[in-house]
Amino acid sequence: MPTPRPRALSVWLFAVAELVFAMVVVGGITRLTESGLSITTWDPLFGAIPPLNGAQWLDKFAAYKRIPQYAVLPGGMTLAAFKAIFFWEYVHRLLGRVIGIAFAGPLVWYWAKGVIPAGYKPRLLALLALGGLQGAVGWWMVASGLSERTEVSHIRLAVHLVLALILLGGLVWTALDLRGGRRARLTGVGVVALLALAVQIKLGAFVAGLRAGYLFPSWPLMDGRLFPEGGWNESWTALRNAIDNPVVVQFLHRWWAWAVVAAMVMLARAAKRGGDRRASVLLHAAVGTQILLGIATLLSGVEIVVAVLHQAVGALTVAAAVNAAHAAGRRA
């Protein structure tokens, strides 16, 4: 009978998680450089081939000129500038294809060899399906900015980002299960901490989609106040203000962060009690760095390098939180 190879599967899943992390970072660059609508079609197979000659570049550029975003660009855009934004969207989509191959190929091989430990096949298939869904959601997001809007829907952007980080977390959790040789269970403190973090990630995506980060380049006050005068839209419901009002969204993202800090501290302590001090230290480091980068992003006026680092460390915080939740669950 074939011998299960949990260690090899763990290494493979960690490698795929690293690719997902890279895609999240490139996605942040794509958003900040306004590159996401530069490719106006979705072709999962032949879309991997970039324009190879001048005529093909002009065709792609002409397609971009037909969407509303191009119409509002002051002074239009040169072909060279179009190639620059096309590059980031192309790399983002290419990474998605690489992740699909890096996951599906080894999964088929390990399955055929019969070395997947008992009970893991359904979870691995679920992760594969989640990756495929993420590709479809990515196009659903892009499509929202091709006909009437001049940018993608911030709600669809949030769904796209949250799903990517759920995939990252699922890969890390499963890899940790395989590496340790036994499954952990998600405890109450883990559930609370991860849900609090998910809300903050959603708010961060709203901030990015609504360009809310540019409104108040100061901290901790907004225009000299805790909440700026006139920031609340009286004609909207509270729910709509929390979703569509960029002032309210930035305010919530600023202050919900401290609820997340409290939840992460509790989770780190649970991991330490579970005997994994390293997981506790990593989580504290990730959260502290992320808070500082969030403040720096505001104060810099959303300078692109700082903002990309903020998104990157946000993804690392998710991985660190999943690691700590796993450590707490092993003790239980």
Side-chain angles (χ1 to χ4, degrees):
M1 293 293 292
T3 302
R5 298 177 58 190
R7 192 75 180 184
L9 269 69
S10 176
V11 172
W12 158 57
L13 291 176
F14 276 127
V16 177
E18 290 173 359
L19 287 173
V20 173
F21 168 75
M23 191 170 183
V24 170
V25 173
V26 172
I29 298 173
T30 300
R31 177 61 191 167
L32 288 163
T33 56
E34 302 287 349
S35 303
L37 298 178
S38 58
I39 302 178
T40 59
T41 57
W42 188 41
D43 187 344
L45 184 59
F46 295 105
I49 305 173
L52 300 175
N53 54 51
Q56 291 177 357
W57 274 113
L58 289 175
D59 286 343
K60 294 290 186 183
F61 193 23
Y64 178 66
K65 288 180 177 180
R66 290 193 288 269
I67 69 172
Q69 185 181 79
Y70 181 83
V72 299
L73 293 175
M77 176 182 285
T78 65
L79 179 58
F82 172 72
K83 288 181 178 181
I85 64 170
F86 184 96
F87 170 80
W88 287 113
E89 176 65 5
Y90 174 76
V91 170
H92 188 56
R93 296 193 186 194
L94 184 63
L95 266 173
R97 293 179 172 92
V98 170
I99 291 169
I101 294 170
F103 191 91
L107 176 60
V108 170
W109 189 86
Y110 285 127
W111 196 303
K113 290 292 184 180
V115 298
I116 299 176
Y120 282 91
K121 289 180 180 178
R123 196 192 310 187
L124 293 172
L125 287 175
L127 289 171
L128 179 64
L130 183 59
L133 176 63
Q134 177 69 343
V137 168
W139 172 247
W140 175 64
M141 177 191 68
V142 170
S144 68
L146 296 179
S147 55
E148 298 177 1
R149 303 172 61 99
T150 59
E151 71 288 315
V152 301
S153 161
H154 62 288
I155 296 174
R156 297 188 187 188
L157 174 66
V159 173
H160 190 48
L161 178 60
V162 170
L163 276 180
L165 294 175
I166 289 174
L167 177 60
L168 176 64
L171 289 165
V172 170
W173 186 282
T174 305
L176 290 169
D177 273 355
L178 288 163
R179 188 182 68 178
R182 58 178 178 148
R183 300 179 191 180
R185 71 176 181 87
L186 194 56
T187 62
V189 67
V191 170
V192 170
L194 292 175
L195 285 177
L197 184 57
V199 171
Q200 182 68 348
I201 291 166
K202 179 211 69 173
L203 289 170
F206 284 177
V207 168
L210 294 169
R211 298 176 177 82
Y214 296 95
L215 296 179
F216 301 98
S218 59
W219 190 87
L221 301 180
M222 302 168 69
D223 198 22
R225 296 169 174 260
L226 183 65
F227 185 82
E229 186 176 0
W232 187 266
N233 190 326
E234 297 290 348
S235 64
W236 288 359
T237 64
L239 179 60
R240 187 175 180 188
N241 270 286
I243 294 174
D244 293 330
N245 186 332
V247 177
V248 176
V249 167
Q250 191 194 125
F251 175 83
L252 292 174
H253 189 56
R254 284 175 177 232
W255 298 108
W256 182 254
W258 300 105
V260 176
V261 168
M264 293 296 113
V265 169
M266 289 190 297
L267 179 58
R269 290 179 177 177
K272 188 176 180 179
R273 287 195 302 270
D276 196 338
R277 183 177 181 276
R278 182 173 178 270
S280 175
V281 171
L282 287 174
L283 183 55
H284 277 112
V287 172
T289 303
Q290 181 67 343
I291 290 292
L292 292 175
L293 283 171
I295 296 170
T297 300
L298 286 171
L299 297 180
S300 69
V302 194
E303 200 278 326
I304 186 168
V305 174
V306 181
V308 170
L309 284 173
H310 185 47
Q311 180 150 328
V313 175
L316 292 177
T317 302
V318 170
V322 168
N323 182 41
H326 193 275
R330 287 198 301 269
R331 174 176 180 268

